[in-house]
Coordinates of all heavy atoms in Angstrom, one line a residue:
M5 N -329.7 -13.5 -60.6 CA -329.0 -14.3 -59.7 C -328.2 -15.4 -60.3 O -327.1 -15.7 -59.8 CB -330.1 -14.9 -58.8 CG -329.6 -15.6 -57.6 SD -329.2 -14.3 -56.4 CE -329.3 -15.2 -54.9
W6 N -328.7 -16.0 -61.4 CA -327.9 -17.1 -62.1 C -326.7 -16.5 -62.8 O -325.7 -17.2 -62.9 CB -328.8 -17.7 -63.1 CG -329.9 -18.5 -62.5 CD1 -331.2 -18.2 -62.4 CD2 -329.8 -19.9 -61.9 NE1 -331.9 -19.2 -61.7 CE2 -331.0 -20.2 -61.4 CE3 -328.7 -20.7 -61.8 CZ2 -331.3 -21.4 -60.8 CZ3 -329.0 -22.0 -61.2 CH2 -330.3 -22.3 -60.7
G7 N -326.8 -15.3 -63.1 CA -325.6 -14.7 -63.8 C -324.4 -14.5 -62.8 O -323.3 -14.5 -63.3
C8 N -324.7 -14.4 -61.6 CA -323.6 -14.3 -60.6 C -322.7 -15.5 -60.6 O -321.5 -15.4 -60.5 CB -324.2 -14.0 -59.1 SG -325.0 -12.4 -59.0
G9 N -323.3 -16.7 -60.7 CA -322.6 -17.9 -60.7 C -321.6 -18.0 -61.9 O -320.5 -18.4 -61.9
I10 N -322.1 -17.5 -63.1 CA -321.3 -17.6 -64.3 C -320.3 -16.5 -64.2 O -319.1 -16.9 -64.6 CB -322.3 -17.3 -65.5 CG1 -323.3 -18.4 -65.8 CG2 -321.5 -17.0 -66.8 CD1 -324.3 -18.1 -66.8
V11 N -320.5 -15.4 -63.7 CA -319.5 -14.3 -63.6 C -318.4 -14.8 -62.6 O -317.2 -14.4 -62.8 CB -320.1 -13.0 -63.1 CG1 -319.1 -12.0 -62.7 CG2 -321.0 -12.5 -64.2
T12 N -318.7 -15.6 -61.6 CA -317.7 -16.1 -60.7 C -317.0 -17.3 -61.3 O -315.7 -17.4 -61.2 CB -318.4 -16.5 -59.4 OG1 -319.1 -15.4 -58.8 CG2 -317.4 -17.1 -58.4
A13 N -317.7 -18.2 -61.9 CA -317.1 -19.5 -62.5 C -316.2 -19.3 -63.6 O -315.1 -19.9 -63.7 CB -318.2 -20.5 -62.7
V14 N -316.5 -18.5 -64.6 CA -315.7 -18.4 -65.8 C -314.3 -17.9 -65.5 O -313.3 -18.5 -66.0 CB -316.5 -17.4 -66.8 CG1 -315.6 -17.1 -68.0 CG2 -317.7 -18.1 -67.3
P15 N -314.1 -16.8 -64.8 CA -312.6 -16.5 -64.5 C -311.9 -17.6 -63.7 O -310.7 -17.8 -64.0 CB -312.7 -15.2 -63.6 CG -314.1 -14.7 -63.9 CD -315.0 -15.8 -64.2
L16 N -312.5 -18.2 -62.8 CA -311.9 -19.3 -62.1 C -311.5 -20.5 -63.0 O -310.5 -21.1 -62.9 CB -312.8 -19.8 -60.9 CG -313.0 -18.8 -59.8 CD1 -314.0 -19.4 -58.8 CD2 -311.7 -18.5 -59.1
I17 N -312.4 -20.8 -63.9 CA -312.1 -21.9 -64.9 C -311.0 -21.5 -65.8 O -310.0 -22.3 -66.1 CB -313.4 -22.3 -65.7 CG1 -314.4 -22.9 -64.8 CG2 -313.0 -23.2 -66.8 CD1 -315.8 -23.1 -65.4
V18 N -311.0 -20.3 -66.3 CA -309.9 -19.8 -67.1 C -308.6 -19.8 -66.4 O -307.5 -20.2 -66.9 CB -310.2 -18.4 -67.7 CG1 -309.1 -17.8 -68.4 CG2 -311.4 -18.5 -68.6
Y19 N -308.6 -19.3 -65.2 CA -307.4 -19.3 -64.3 C -306.8 -20.8 -64.1 O -305.7 -21.0 -64.2 CB -307.6 -18.6 -63.0 CG -306.4 -18.7 -62.0 CD1 -305.4 -17.8 -62.2 CD2 -306.3 -19.6 -61.1 CE1 -304.3 -17.8 -61.4 CE2 -305.2 -19.7 -60.2 CZ -304.2 -18.8 -60.4 OH -303.1 -18.9 -59.6
A20 N -307.7 -21.7 -63.7 CA -307.3 -23.1 -63.5 C -306.7 -23.7 -64.8 O -305.7 -24.4 -64.7 CB -308.5 -23.9 -63.1
N21 N -307.3 -23.4 -66.0 CA -306.7 -24.0 -67.1 C -305.3 -23.3 -67.5 O -304.5 -24.0 -67.9 CB -307.7 -23.8 -68.3 CG -308.9 -24.8 -68.3 OD1 -308.7 -25.9 -67.8 ND2 -310.0 -24.3 -68.7
G22 N -305.2 -22.0 -67.2 CA -303.9 -21.4 -67.5 C -302.9 -21.8 -66.5 O -301.7 -21.9 -66.9
A23 N -303.3 -22.0 -65.3 CA -302.4 -22.5 -64.2 C -301.7 -23.8 -64.6 O -300.6 -24.1 -64.1 CB -303.0 -22.5 -62.9
K24 N -302.4 -24.7 -65.3 CA -301.9 -25.9 -65.7 C -300.6 -25.8 -66.5 O -299.8 -26.7 -66.6 CB -302.9 -26.8 -66.4 CG -304.0 -27.2 -65.5 CD -305.1 -27.9 -66.3 CE -306.3 -28.3 -65.5 NZ -307.4 -28.9 -66.3
L25 N -300.5 -24.7 -67.2 CA -299.4 -24.4 -68.1 C -298.2 -23.9 -67.5 O -297.1 -23.8 -68.1 CB -299.9 -23.5 -69.3 CG -301.1 -24.0 -70.1 CD1 -301.5 -22.9 -71.1 CD2 -300.8 -25.4 -70.8
L26 N -298.3 -23.5 -66.2 CA -297.2 -22.8 -65.5 C -296.6 -23.7 -64.5 O -297.2 -24.6 -64.0 CB -297.7 -21.5 -64.8 CG -298.3 -20.5 -65.7 CD1 -298.9 -19.3 -64.9 CD2 -297.2 -19.9 -66.6
R27 N -295.3 -23.4 -64.1 CA -294.8 -24.1 -63.0 C -295.4 -23.7 -61.7 O -295.9 -22.5 -61.6 CB -293.2 -23.8 -63.0 CG -292.5 -24.4 -64.1 CD -291.0 -23.9 -64.2 NE -290.5 -23.8 -62.9 CZ -289.2 -23.6 -62.7 NH1 -288.3 -23.5 -63.7 NH2 -288.7 -23.5 -61.5
L28 N -295.3 -24.5 -60.7 CA -295.9 -24.2 -59.4 C -295.2 -23.0 -58.8 O -295.9 -22.2 -58.1 CB -295.9 -25.3 -58.5 CG -296.9 -26.5 -58.8 CD1 -296.7 -27.7 -57.9 CD2 -298.3 -26.0 -58.8
S29 N -293.9 -22.9 -59.0 CA -293.2 -21.7 -58.3 C -293.7 -20.4 -59.0 O -293.8 -19.4 -58.3 CB -291.7 -21.9 -58.5 OG -291.4 -22.0 -59.9
T30 N -294.0 -20.4 -60.3 CA -294.5 -19.2 -60.9 C -295.9 -18.8 -60.4 O -296.1 -17.7 -60.1 CB -294.6 -19.4 -62.5 OG1 -293.3 -19.8 -62.9 CG2 -295.0 -18.2 -63.2
I31 N -296.7 -19.8 -60.2 CA -298.0 -19.6 -59.6 C -297.9 -19.0 -58.2 O -298.7 -18.1 -57.8 CB -298.9 -20.8 -59.7 CG1 -299.2 -21.3 -61.1 CG2 -300.2 -20.7 -59.0 CD1 -299.8 -22.6 -61.3
G32 N -297.0 -19.6 -57.4 CA -296.8 -19.1 -56.1 C -296.4 -17.6 -56.1 O -296.9 -16.9 -55.2
I33 N -295.6 -17.2 -56.9 CA -295.1 -15.8 -56.9 C -296.3 -15.0 -57.4 O -296.5 -13.8 -56.8 CB -293.9 -15.7 -57.9 CG1 -292.7 -16.3 -57.2 CG2 -293.6 -14.2 -58.1 CD1 -291.4 -16.3 -58.0
L34 N -297.1 -15.4 -58.3 CA -298.2 -14.7 -58.8 C -299.2 -14.5 -57.6 O -299.9 -13.5 -57.5 CB -298.9 -15.3 -59.9 CG -298.1 -15.2 -61.3 CD1 -298.8 -16.1 -62.4 CD2 -297.9 -13.8 -61.7
Q35 N -299.3 -15.5 -56.7 CA -300.2 -15.4 -55.6 C -299.8 -14.4 -54.6 O -300.6 -13.9 -53.8 CB -300.4 -16.8 -54.9 CG -301.0 -17.8 -55.8 CD -302.5 -17.5 -56.1 OE1 -303.1 -16.8 -55.3 NE2 -303.0 -18.1 -57.1
Y36 N -298.5 -14.0 -54.7 CA -298.0 -12.9 -53.8 C -298.2 -11.5 -54.5 O -298.4 -10.5 -53.9 CB -296.6 -13.1 -53.4 CG -296.4 -14.0 -52.2 CD1 -296.1 -15.3 -52.4 CD2 -296.5 -13.6 -51.0 CE1 -296.0 -16.2 -51.4 CE2 -296.4 -14.4 -49.9 CZ -296.1 -15.7 -50.1 OH -295.9 -16.5 -49.0
I37 N -298.0 -11.5 -55.8 CA -298.1 -10.3 -56.5 C -299.5 -9.7 -56.5 O -299.7 -8.5 -56.2 CB -297.6 -10.4 -58.0 CG1 -296.1 -10.7 -57.9 CG2 -297.9 -9.2 -58.8 CD1 -295.5 -11.0 -59.3
A38 N -300.5 -10.5 -56.7 CA -301.9 -10.0 -56.7 C -302.3 -9.3 -55.4 O -302.8 -8.2 -55.4 CB -302.9 -11.1 -57.1
P39 N -302.1 -10.0 -54.3 CA -302.5 -9.3 -53.0 C -301.7 -8.0 -52.7 O -302.1 -7.1 -52.1 CB -302.2 -10.3 -51.9 CG -302.3 -11.6 -52.6 CD -301.8 -11.4 -54.0
T40 N -300.4 -8.1 -53.2 CA -299.6 -6.9 -53.0 C -300.1 -5.7 -53.8 O -300.1 -4.6 -53.3 CB -298.1 -7.2 -53.4 OG1 -297.6 -8.3 -52.6 CG2 -297.2 -6.0 -53.3
M41 N -300.5 -6.0 -55.0 CA -301.1 -4.9 -55.8 C -302.4 -4.4 -55.2 O -302.6 -3.1 -55.1 CB -301.4 -5.4 -57.3 CG -300.2 -5.8 -58.0 SD -298.9 -4.5 -58.1 CE -299.7 -3.3 -59.1
I42 N -303.2 -5.2 -54.6 CA -304.4 -4.8 -53.9 C -304.0 -4.0 -52.7 O -304.6 -2.9 -52.4 CB -305.3 -6.0 -53.6 CG1 -305.8 -6.7 -54.8 CG2 -306.5 -5.6 -52.6 CD1 -306.4 -8.1 -54.6
F43 N -303.0 -4.4 -52.0 CA -302.6 -3.7 -50.8 C -302.1 -2.3 -51.1 O -302.5 -1.3 -50.5 CB -301.5 -4.5 -50.1 CG -300.8 -3.8 -49.0 CD1 -301.4 -3.6 -47.8 CD2 -299.5 -3.4 -49.2 CE1 -300.7 -2.9 -46.8 CE2 -298.8 -2.7 -48.2 CZ -299.5 -2.5 -47.0
L44 N -301.3 -2.2 -52.2 CA -300.8 -1.0 -52.6 C -301.8 0.0 -53.0 O -301.9 1.2 -52.8 CB -299.7 -1.1 -53.7 CG -298.4 -1.8 -53.2 CD1 -297.5 -2.0 -54.4 CD2 -297.7 -0.9 -52.2
T45 N -302.8 -0.5 -53.8 CA -303.9 0.3 -54.2 C -304.7 0.8 -53.0 O -305.2 2.0 -53.0 CB -304.9 -0.5 -55.1 OG1 -304.1 -1.0 -56.3 CG2 -306.1 0.3 -55.6
A46 N -305.0 -0.1 -52.0 CA -305.7 0.3 -50.8 C -305.0 1.4 -50.1 O -305.6 2.4 -49.7 CB -305.9 -0.9 -49.9
V47 N -303.6 1.3 -50.0 CA -302.9 2.3 -49.2 C -302.7 3.6 -50.0 O -303.0 4.7 -49.5 CB -301.5 1.8 -48.7 CG1 -300.7 2.8 -48.2 CG2 -301.7 0.6 -47.7
L48 N -302.3 3.5 -51.2 CA -302.0 4.7 -52.1 C -303.1 5.4 -52.7 O -303.1 6.6 -52.7 CB -301.0 4.3 -53.1 CG -299.6 3.7 -52.6 CD1 -298.7 3.3 -53.8 CD2 -298.9 4.7 -51.8
V49 N -304.1 4.6 -53.1 CA -305.3 5.3 -53.8 C -306.4 5.6 -52.8 O -306.9 6.7 -52.8 CB -305.8 4.3 -54.9 CG1 -307.0 4.9 -55.5 CG2 -304.7 4.1 -55.9
F50 N -306.7 4.6 -51.9 CA -307.8 4.8 -51.0 C -307.5 5.2 -49.6 O -308.4 5.5 -48.8 CB -308.7 3.4 -50.9 CG -309.2 3.1 -52.3 CD1 -308.8 2.0 -52.9 CD2 -310.2 3.8 -52.9 CE1 -309.3 1.6 -54.1 CE2 -310.7 3.5 -54.1 CZ -310.3 2.4 -54.7
G51 N -306.3 5.5 -49.3 CA -305.8 6.0 -48.0 C -306.0 5.1 -46.8 O -306.2 5.6 -45.7
E52 N -306.0 3.8 -47.0 CA -306.1 2.9 -45.9 C -304.9 3.2 -44.9 O -303.8 3.5 -45.4 CB -306.1 1.5 -46.4 CG -307.4 1.1 -47.1 CD -308.5 1.0 -46.2 OE1 -308.4 0.5 -45.0 OE2 -309.7 1.4 -46.6
P53 N -305.1 2.9 -43.7 CA -304.0 3.1 -42.7 C -302.9 2.1 -42.9 O -303.1 0.9 -43.3 CB -304.6 2.9 -41.3 CG -305.9 2.2 -41.6 CD -306.3 2.6 -43.0
F54 N -301.6 2.5 -42.8 CA -300.4 1.7 -42.9 C -299.6 1.8 -41.6 O -298.9 2.8 -41.5 CB -299.7 2.2 -44.2 CG -298.5 1.4 -44.5 CD1 -298.7 0.1 -45.1 CD2 -297.2 1.8 -44.3 CE1 -297.6 -0.7 -45.5 CE2 -296.1 1.0 -44.6 CZ -296.3 -0.3 -45.2
G55 N -299.8 0.9 -40.8 CA -299.3 1.0 -39.4 C -297.9 0.4 -39.4 O -297.3 -0.1 -40.4
R56 N -297.3 0.4 -38.2 CA -296.0 -0.2 -37.9 C -295.9 -1.7 -38.3 O -294.9 -2.1 -38.8 CB -295.6 0.0 -36.5 CG -294.2 -0.3 -36.1 CD -293.9 0.1 -34.6 NE -292.6 -0.3 -34.3 CZ -292.1 -0.6 -33.2 NH1 -293.0 -0.5 -32.2 NH2 -290.8 -0.9 -33.0
A57 N -296.9 -2.4 -37.9 CA -296.9 -3.9 -38.2 C -296.8 -4.1 -39.7 O -296.1 -5.0 -40.1 CB -298.1 -4.6 -37.6
Q58 N -297.6 -3.4 -40.5 CA -297.5 -3.5 -41.9 C -296.2 -3.1 -42.5 O -295.7 -3.7 -43.4 CB -298.7 -2.7 -42.6 CG -300.1 -3.3 -42.4 CD -300.7 -2.7 -41.1 OE1 -300.1 -2.1 -40.3 NE2 -301.9 -3.2 -40.8
A59 N -295.6 -2.0 -41.9 CA -294.4 -1.5 -42.4 C -293.2 -2.5 -42.1 O -292.2 -2.5 -42.8 CB -294.0 -0.2 -41.7
I60 N -293.4 -3.4 -41.1 CA -292.4 -4.5 -40.8 C -292.7 -5.7 -41.7 O -291.8 -6.3 -42.3 CB -292.4 -4.8 -39.3 CG1 -291.9 -3.6 -38.6 CG2 -291.5 -6.0 -39.1 CD1 -292.1 -3.8 -37.1
A61 N -293.9 -6.1 -41.7 CA -294.3 -7.4 -42.4 C -294.2 -7.3 -43.9 O -293.7 -8.3 -44.6 CB -295.7 -7.7 -42.1
F62 N -294.5 -6.2 -44.5 CA -294.6 -6.1 -46.0 C -293.1 -6.3 -46.6 O -293.0 -7.2 -47.5 CB -295.2 -4.7 -46.4 CG -295.4 -4.6 -47.9 CD1 -296.4 -5.2 -48.5 CD2 -294.5 -3.7 -48.6 CE1 -296.6 -5.1 -49.8 CE2 -294.7 -3.6 -49.9 CZ -295.8 -4.2 -50.5
P63 N -292.1 -5.6 -46.1 CA -290.8 -5.8 -46.7 C -290.2 -7.3 -46.4 O -289.6 -7.8 -47.2 CB -289.9 -4.8 -46.1 CG -290.7 -3.8 -45.5 CD -292.1 -4.5 -45.2
L64 N -290.6 -7.8 -45.3 CA -290.2 -9.1 -44.9 C -290.7 -10.2 -45.8 O -290.0 -11.1 -46.2 CB -290.5 -9.5 -43.4 CG -289.7 -8.7 -42.4 CD1 -290.1 -9.1 -41.0 CD2 -288.2 -9.1 -42.5
I65 N -291.9 -10.0 -46.2 CA -292.5 -10.9 -47.2 C -291.8 -10.9 -48.5 O -291.5 -11.9 -49.1 CB -294.0 -10.6 -47.4 CG1 -294.8 -11.0 -46.1 CG2 -294.6 -11.4 -48.6 CD1 -296.2 -10.4 -46.1
W66 N -291.5 -9.7 -48.9 CA -290.8 -9.5 -50.3 C -289.3 -10.0 -50.2 O -288.8 -10.6 -51.1 CB -290.9 -8.1 -50.8 CG -292.3 -8.1 -51.5 CD1 -293.4 -7.5 -51.0 CD2 -292.6 -8.6 -52.8 NE1 -294.4 -7.7 -51.8 CE2 -294.0 -8.4 -52.9 CE3 -291.8 -9.3 -53.7 CZ2 -294.6 -8.7 -54.1 CZ3 -292.5 -9.6 -54.9 CH2 -293.9 -9.3 -55.1
V67 N -288.7 -9.8 -49.0 CA -287.3 -10.3 -48.9 C -287.3 -11.9 -48.9 O -286.5 -12.5 -49.5 CB -286.7 -9.9 -47.5 CG1 -285.5 -10.6 -47.2 CG2 -286.4 -8.4 -47.6
A68 N -288.3 -12.5 -48.3 CA -288.5 -13.9 -48.4 C -288.6 -14.4 -49.8 O -288.1 -15.4 -50.3 CB -289.6 -14.4 -47.5
L69 N -289.4 -13.7 -50.6 CA -289.7 -14.0 -52.0 C -288.4 -14.0 -52.8 O -288.1 -14.8 -53.7 CB -290.8 -13.2 -52.6 CG -292.2 -13.5 -52.2 CD1 -293.2 -12.4 -52.6 CD2 -292.6 -14.9 -52.7
V70 N -287.6 -12.9 -52.5 CA -286.4 -12.8 -53.3 C -285.4 -13.9 -52.9 O -284.8 -14.5 -53.8 CB -285.7 -11.4 -52.9 CG1 -284.2 -11.3 -53.4 CG2 -286.5 -10.3 -53.5
I71 N -285.3 -14.3 -51.6 CA -284.5 -15.4 -51.2 C -285.0 -16.7 -51.9 O -284.2 -17.5 -52.3 CB -284.5 -15.5 -49.7 CG1 -283.7 -14.3 -49.0 CG2 -283.8 -16.8 -49.2 CD1 -283.8 -14.2 -47.5
Y72 N -286.3 -16.9 -51.9 CA -286.9 -18.1 -52.6 C -286.6 -18.1 -54.1 O -286.3 -19.1 -54.6 CB -288.4 -18.1 -52.3 CG -289.1 -19.1 -53.1 CD1 -289.1 -20.4 -52.7 CD2 -289.9 -18.8 -54.2 CE1 -289.8 -21.4 -53.3 CE2 -290.5 -19.8 -54.9 CZ -290.5 -21.1 -54.5 OH -291.2 -22.1 -55.2
S73 N -286.6 -16.9 -54.7 CA -286.5 -16.8 -56.1 C -285.0 -17.0 -56.7 O -284.8 -17.4 -57.8 CB -287.1 -15.5 -56.7 OG -288.4 -15.4 -56.3
I74 N -284.1 -16.6 -55.8 CA -282.6 -16.7 -56.3 C -282.2 -18.0 -56.8 O -281.7 -18.1 -57.9 CB -281.7 -16.1 -55.2 CG1 -281.9 -14.6 -55.1 CG2 -280.2 -16.5 -55.5 CD1 -281.2 -14.0 -53.9
P75 N -282.4 -19.1 -56.1 CA -282.1 -20.4 -56.7 C -282.8 -20.8 -57.9 O -282.3 -21.4 -58.8 CB -282.4 -21.4 -55.5 CG -282.5 -20.6 -54.3 CD -283.0 -19.3 -54.7
M76 N -284.1 -20.4 -58.0 CA -284.8 -20.7 -59.2 C -284.3 -19.9 -60.4 O -284.1 -20.5 -61.5 CB -286.3 -20.2 -59.0 CG -287.2 -20.6 -60.2 SD -288.9 -20.2 -59.9 CE -288.9 -18.5 -59.5
I77 N -283.9 -18.7 -60.2 CA -283.3 -17.8 -61.3 C -281.9 -18.5 -61.7 O -281.6 -18.6 -62.9 CB -283.2 -16.4 -60.9 CG1 -284.5 -15.8 -60.7 CG2 -282.4 -15.6 -61.9 CD1 -284.5 -14.4 -60.1
R78 N -281.1 -18.9 -60.7 CA -279.8 -19.4 -61.1 C -280.0 -20.7 -61.9 O -279.3 -21.0 -62.8 CB -279.0 -19.7 -59.7 CG -278.5 -18.5 -59.2 CD -277.7 -18.8 -58.0 NE -277.2 -17.6 -57.3 CZ -276.7 -17.5 -56.1 NH1 -276.8 -18.6 -55.3 NH2 -276.3 -16.3 -55.6
Q79 N -281.0 -21.6 -61.5 CA -281.3 -22.8 -62.2 C -281.7 -22.5 -63.6 O -281.3 -23.2 -64.5 CB -282.4 -23.6 -61.5 CG -282.7 -24.9 -62.0 CD -283.9 -25.6 -61.3 OE1 -284.7 -24.9 -60.6 NE2 -283.9 -26.9 -61.5
M80 N -282.5 -21.5 -63.8 CA -282.9 -21.1 -65.2 C -281.7 -20.6 -66.0 O -281.6 -21.0 -67.2 CB -284.0 -20.1 -65.1 CG -285.3 -20.6 -64.7 SD -286.7 -19.4 -64.5 CE -286.2 -18.0 -65.4
K81 N -280.8 -19.9 -65.4 CA -279.6 -19.5 -66.2 C -278.8 -20.6 -66.5 O -278.2 -20.7 -67.6 CB -278.9 -18.4 -65.3 CG -279.5 -17.1 -65.3 CD -278.7 -16.1 -64.5 CE -279.3 -14.8 -64.4 NZ -278.5 -13.8 -63.7
N82 N -278.6 -21.6 -65.6 CA -277.7 -22.7 -65.8 C -278.3 -23.6 -67.0 O -277.6 -24.2 -67.8 CB -277.6 -23.6 -64.6 CG -276.6 -22.9 -63.6 OD1 -275.9 -22.0 -63.9 ND2 -276.8 -23.3 -62.3
K83 N -279.6 -23.8 -67.0 CA -280.2 -24.5 -68.1 C -280.1 -23.8 -69.4 O -279.9 -24.5 -70.5 CB -281.8 -24.7 -67.8 CG -282.0 -25.7 -66.9 CD -283.5 -25.9 -66.7 CE -283.9 -27.0 -65.6 NZ -285.3 -27.2 -65.4
A84 N -280.1 -22.5 -69.5 CA -279.9 -21.7 -70.7 C -278.5 -21.8 -71.2 O -278.3 -21.7 -72.5 CB -280.3 -20.3 -70.5
A85 N -277.6 -21.9 -70.3 CA -276.1 -21.9 -70.7 C -275.7 -23.2 -71.2 O -276.2 -24.2 -71.4 CB -275.2 -21.5 -69.6

């Protein structure tokens, strides 16, 4: 029983320390990538149902991420130049 707390706490502590080194926008994008990978695994590997609502919502979320990311990418390019 005590081992469960350690198994839960250690990855969270490592993530929290690593997150301090990243920009908040990067962490935000990573927070979308992880659930997307889980979603794709559920649908493609485990055969979970993929209905009309999911078919509409899934691309809209990624379109919003692209729109959000474009100014950030432009800003990074301008700093590099």
Side-chain angles (χ1 to χ4, degrees):
M5 193 77 156
W6 291 99
C8 294
I10 293 171
V11 169
T12 302
V14 170
L16 292 174
I17 292 169
V18 171
Y19 176 81
N21 286 328
K24 291 177 186 176
L25 303 173
L26 298 173
R27 293 174 34 172
L28 288 177
S29 57
T30 304
I31 294 169
I33 291 173
L34 290 174
Q35 293 293 335
Y36 277 97
I37 291 173
T40 298
M41 297 304 295
I42 293 168
F43 170 72
L44 290 174
T45 301
V47 171
L48 300 175
V49 176
F50 297 113
E52 290 288 323
F54 186 74
R56 184 175 181 207
Q58 289 88 355
I60 294 170
F62 188 72
L64 287 177
I65 290 169
W66 278 98
V67 166
L69 284 172
V70 168
I71 292 170
Y72 172 78
S73 299
I74 288 172
M76 184 175 58
I77 293 168
R78 287 183 182 161
Q79 182 183 20
M80 287 176 17
K81 285 182 181 180
N82 289 339
K83 283 184 181 179

